[in-house]
């Protein structure tokens, strides 16, 4: 099976999305936007991390290691390749600690793909992304 781990901060970042240093984050950094940036009801034209990855093709589950401290700080905009944006949030894993949460499941062709993570609510933090075609994988 493919299990592709990517650091969210290693993607191509556009402001106001930024890497922040943390001793609890994998690789020592995570992505977020600064307080005062505001919440986006629609996908922004900036403030994102674009992560490139390569697959062998098939059905993939995409997971993210996130820190979502409240229901007002628990979402991102997500786009895979050239597909439509969708608002991803998780009201079930509100916690002051890092947790793995599934973003989506989709079919991907063999080859290179991108996942774009854009800010939706300030204070939501993302550390890592996992792309896997292991159907039994779970955190």
């Amino acid at each position: 099976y493919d299990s592709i781990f990517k650091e969210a901060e290693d993607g191509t970042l556009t402001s106001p999305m930024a890497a922040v240093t943390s001793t609890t984050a994998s690789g020592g950094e995570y992505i977020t936007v600064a307080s005062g940036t505001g919440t986006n009801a629609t996908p922004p034209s900036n403030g994102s991390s674009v992560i490139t990855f390569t697959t062998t093709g098939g059905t993939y589950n995409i997971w993210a290691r996130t820190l979502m401290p409240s229901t007002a700080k628990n979402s991102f905009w997500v786009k895979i390749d050239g597909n439509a944006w969708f608002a991803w949030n998780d009201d079930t894993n509100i916690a002051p600690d890092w947790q793995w949460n599934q973003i989506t499941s989709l079919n991907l062709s063999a080859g290179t793909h991108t996942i774009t993570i854009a800010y939706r609510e300030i204070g939501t933090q993302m550390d890592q992304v996992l792309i896997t075609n292991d159907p039994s994988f779970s955190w």
Side-chain angles (χ1 to χ4, degrees):
Y1 293 109
D2 289 341
S3 290
I4 306 158
F5 284 91
K6 295 286 190 169
E7 293 291 329
E9 68 275 8
D10 288 345
T12 302
L13 297 176
T14 59
S15 183
M17 187 73 78
V20 177
T21 302
S22 171
T23 57
T24 62
S26 169
E29 292 182 309
Y30 63 88
I31 60 171
T32 194
V33 293
S35 180
T37 304
T39 298
N40 284 318
T42 59
S45 60
N46 60 1
S48 66
S49 175
V50 179
I51 301 166
T52 302
F53 60 96
T54 303
T55 69
T56 57
T59 301
Y60 283 80
N61 294 315
I62 300 178
W63 295 76
R65 185 174 188 248
T66 57
L67 195 152
M68 301 177 295
S70 73
T71 57
K73 299 177 181 182
N74 69 331
S75 70
F76 284 99
W77 287 104
V78 179
K79 180 169 67 170
I80 311 295
D81 296 330
N83 296 315
W85 287 99
F86 63 92
W88 172 75
N89 71 316
D90 190 336
D91 289 335
T92 62
N93 287 316
I94 304 303
D97 301 312
W98 294 107
Q99 296 188 44
W100 283 97
N101 301 287
Q102 187 172 356
I103 296 176
T104 192
S105 180
L106 71 163
N107 288 317
L108 294 171
S109 61
T112 302
H113 299 275
T114 59
I115 179 170
T116 304
I117 309 293
Y119 80 97
R120 185 166 182 260
E121 294 175 320
I122 60 169
T124 310
Q125 302 168 23
M126 185 177 293
D127 181 24
Q128 282 184 302
V129 175
L130 167 64
I131 303 102
T132 183
N133 62 352
D134 181 349
S136 63
F137 184 86
S138 181
W139 287 104

